[in-house]
Amino acid sequence: MFSSTTEQRVYYADTDHGGVAYYASYLRWFEVGRTELLRELGIEQGELDREGILLPVVEVKCEYKSPALYNDIILIETSIMKIGNKSITFSYGILRKEGRKLLAQGHTVNVFARGASSTEIPPDIRKKLEKS
Amino acid sequence: MFSSTTEQRVYYADTDHGGVAYYASYLRWFEVGRTELLRELGIEQGELDREGILLPVVEVKCEYKSPALYNDIILIETSIMKIGNKSITFSYGILRKEGRKLLAQGHTVNVFARGASSTEIPPDIRKKLEKS
Amino acid sequence: MFSSTTEQRVYYADTDHGGVAYYASYLRWFEVGRTELLRELGIEQGELDREGILLPVVEVKCEYKSPALYNDIILIETSIMKIGNKSITFSYGILRKEGRKLLAQGHTVNVFARGASSTEIPPDIRKKLEKS
Amino acid sequence: MFSSTTEQRVYYADTDHGGVAYYASYLRWFEVGRTELLRELGIEQGELDREGILLPVVEVKCEYKSPALYNDIILIETSIMKIGNKSITFSYGILRKEGRKLLAQGHTVNVFARGASSTEIPPDIRKKLEKS
């Protein structure tokens, strides 16, 4: 299964008063992960966007194992779990680069949409996804 | 089952380039919902915090039904689904106030923790939770 | 000079690893302050928006005096400092409600824009602003 | 004068309903810029942090010239403008990488602090800063 790894640094912006990354920051990292995975497959969301195709998240789940800390470099490992008629399911692992400890894992379901309606995955996109 | 409703306005800060609320903004609203529910039960996270007790999220799930829009007033309806030995499961509904349309629903599992270790729910807190 | 006061609670979402509100959170509060001030004058940004008029910030300044803490209730005091041909200058004070300590102060310059071009303040909006 | 350039991609997380980067996102980028500049000088905020030294922002200014757009790669160009007894003034330019258009510019004043009190810049840090 095609997978992609992206690095991100944890800044103050990502953390909270508990001294660790805020739990919503992981959803930002999931977005980075799937955007970069798609880009590696030749699918630019910036272009889809100009054609009026969006990929909104209809479901997210995240399990937090161990907190990401300020100044950590994290790895976002993203895979495509499932390609449906109108949707893609991505899975994510967030690891601390040093020691490769798994910090969190989760998935999102993203639906292809034109305006407010879901739409089938366009054939040229499907071809790129299936090569993965 | 005890439940609590809090209102929030959707500002630019909460939205994204898709013209709707960013998917991580709902986790912010879940935080607002459970904090205000606990406050209504007489449990102040600010106080727990000073006693060294945190309530980190170990699992979150959110299903997005229909987008929250800029300037919407949303209702965060939060309930306690389950009280474990060391954890509470909260469920959330996010509704548009006007028309009371359900926009998203989800849950979080929050664990009582001292430092890096989970801990049993303190008896005084449990009493307040069980009255709910 | 017309001024408006809005309350906000400080949540984990607003804080950082330093244990206090993240410095960009104040810009979120400035947005809340000016949006609510305009609403009190009968100017709904949601409506302007539908007419294609935006009010982007072209300049912001903030001086931080004392940090907003987790669980604080803060007051956002917003005033209109200046009404230009195409712009409004808002000033802001952020205070802790308890004790009314000034935590931060600043200003933004917001320009009326249609698409990418600045535009004169529409007469009906100007009338509402000048009553202030 | 020493300066440092860092790249960042603009994601949905950084944008708002106006279709461009949210104005507070630039403060996140300023943080990234100064953190990476200090790292290049051998000053790790993660280490300072463990020694109880923080570098809070006491003043920020940002002028917005042209909006950063979804999917842009931006360059954060950070310089040290002034080294005081207890503070550093950083200046920032945010440019779109493609075409090197200046999108925003600003500065922050950051004060060395132990707990709630400002403190002189430690000599070993000053030495590293002055080499810059």
Side-chain angles (χ1 to χ4, degrees), chain D residues 27-47:
Chain D
L27 272 62
R28 176 194 178 89
W29 296 327
F30 288 0
E31 186 205 345
V32 172
R34 67 180 172 268
T35 305
E36 298 308 325
L37 178 146
L38 291 175
R39 199 187 315 279
E40 289 175 28
L41 294 174
I43 302 168
E44 284 277 347
Q45 279 186 272
E47 273 174 45

Side-chain angles (χ1 to χ4, degrees), chain C residues 22-23 27 31 58 62 64, chain D residues 22-23 27 31 58 60 62 64:
Chain C
Y22 185 59
Y23 84 128
L27 272 60
E31 184 205 347
V58 295
C62 185
Y64 304 87
Chain D
Y22 184 60
Y23 85 129
L27 272 62
E31 186 205 345
V58 295
V60 66
C62 184
Y64 303 87

Side-chain angles (χ1 to χ4, degrees), chain D residues 85-103:
Chain D
N85 280 327
K86 299 179 164 187
S87 67
I88 311 176
T89 304
F90 297 94
S91 74
Y92 310 89
I94 307 288
L95 296 89
R96 182 176 296 120
K97 189 179 182 187
E98 196 185 324
R100 293 190 64 85
K101 182 173 185 167
L102 181 68
L103 306 178

